[in-house]
Amino acid sequence: DDVDDAKDEL
Amino acid sequence: MNIFRLAGDMTHLASVLVLLLKIHTIKSCAGVSLKTQELYALVFACRYLDIFTNFVSLYNTVMKLIFLGSSFSIVWYMRYHKVVRRSYDKDQDTFRHYFLVLPCLVLALLINEKFTFKEVMWTFSLYLEAVAILPQLVLLQRTRNIDNLTGQYVFLLGAYRGLYILNWIYRYFTEPHFVHWITWISGLVQTLLYADFFYYYYQSWKNNQKLHLPA
């Protein structure tokens, strides 16, 4: 889901 | 990964390495705020809870370990290293950083993308990172003259945030559903806090004089 695509950032 | 984010991460890495280098080589932390360093250690501890459960890439994991390791070792040096701790200016570094932690925690409980422990801790780390530089900026104003390593440290931190904003703009236009208001707003607030520092840093660089901030 889209939430995790911000988690690829440090 | 885009060039803005890579440049941002490298600038962020450079900022912590500049600080570690300063503390490790000249065995002094004069002008450095321990409160800000403690806040950063807390930021990374809360943000990287999923370091072993949510594998993104080798780069991501290595950088997380470097940021965790460097922030905690800077705090260790400033608190416990027998030589370094003597140069810590504790009666100037008086910002009540606990007053930053609690509101960020409450805000993270109220405004988040998912009400789960990890998500709330991650959001808390975003809000806390936005204000973590405040004790350092206050200390710089108090100590007036800034030695150039500390000035470079704050400058690199500000540059990393600015590059991250470019990264979000790039991702917004290239990835259809990449919209993260919480990340964007807290990142913007954080970058704005550096604005006046940048102004005085630029002025001192342009006039080739010692950097000092107005009281």
Side-chain angles (χ1 to χ4, degrees):
Chain A
D1 55 354
D2 74 326
V3 173
D4 286 342
D5 69 359
K7 299 292 187 301
D8 66 351
E9 293 184 350
L10 290 169
Chain B
M1 171 63 81
N2 60 66
I3 184 65
F4 302 113
R5 183 145 73 94
L6 184 62
D9 289 343
M10 291 304 110
T11 310
H12 190 191
L13 180 67
S15 72
V16 290
L17 294 183
V18 156
L19 193 57
L20 256 181
L21 197 74
K22 161 179 171 141
I23 291 174
H24 183 74
T25 44
I26 60 177
K27 291 288 181 284
S28 159
C29 64
V32 178
S33 163
L34 173 60
K35 312 251 176 172
T36 285
Q37 297 312 313
E38 287 171 347
L39 290 176
Y40 274 129
L42 185 58
V43 164
F44 292 131
C46 297
R47 183 171 307 174
Y48 300 153
L49 291 173
D50 60 352
I51 183 169
F52 299 116
T53 55
N54 174 20
F55 182 80
V56 175
S57 69
L58 183 64
Y59 168 82
N60 189 273
T61 305
V62 166
M63 291 297 278
K64 284 176 178 176
L65 290 171
I66 293 173
F67 287 139
L68 280 167
S70 56
S71 57
F72 278 92
S73 49
I74 287 169
V75 169
W76 179 85
Y77 261 112
M78 294 184 73
R79 274 184 171 272
Y80 305 112
H81 187 281
K82 61 190 181 310
V83 178
V84 174
R85 61 186 292 199
R86 278 209 298 265
S87 57
Y88 171 50
D89 201 351
K90 66 174 170 301
D91 27 358
Q92 291 264 33
D93 189 19
T94 56
F95 198 101
R96 288 179 184 73
H97 56 328
Y98 297 114
F99 284 12
L100 293 174
V101 172
L102 212 60
C104 288
L105 190 57
V106 168
L107 195 64
L109 287 166
L110 297 176
I111 306 174
N112 51 61
E113 284 181 357
K114 255 188 329 185
F115 194 73
T116 63
F117 174 72
K118 270 175 40 176
E119 186 65 28
V120 169
M121 294 311 279
W122 184 77
T123 312
F124 165 63
S125 80
L126 280 182
Y127 297 149
L128 192 62
E129 189 191 1
V131 293
I133 194 65
L134 282 173
Q136 179 64 62
L137 292 179
V138 166
L139 184 64
L140 290 183
Q141 305 239 354
R142 288 225 177 103
T143 51
R144 306 281 294 158
N145 292 333
I146 299 166
D147 73 82
N148 51 19
L149 273 175
T150 312
Q152 276 160 7
Y153 167 68
V154 178
F155 175 80
L156 287 167
L157 270 182
Y160 134 67
R161 291 317 307 182
L163 287 163
Y164 250 69
I165 287 179
L166 296 180
N167 153 61
W168 291 326
I169 293 169
Y170 177 87
R171 292 189 75 174
Y172 175 77
F173 286 112
T174 53
E175 295 170 37
H177 62 286
F178 187 82
V179 176
H180 291 283
W181 290 111
I182 291 178
T183 314
W184 294 347
I185 292 171
S186 61
L188 188 63
V189 164
Q190 180 174 354
T191 312
L192 293 177
L193 289 178
Y194 287 84
D196 73 322
F197 173 82
F198 276 135
Y199 172 73
Y200 293 110
Y201 196 78
Y202 173 69
Q203 292 299 329
S204 76
W205 174 77
K206 197 175 67 167
N207 312 332
N208 193 18
Q209 68 191 19
K210 190 102 175 105
L211 171 66
H212 61 268
L213 302 174

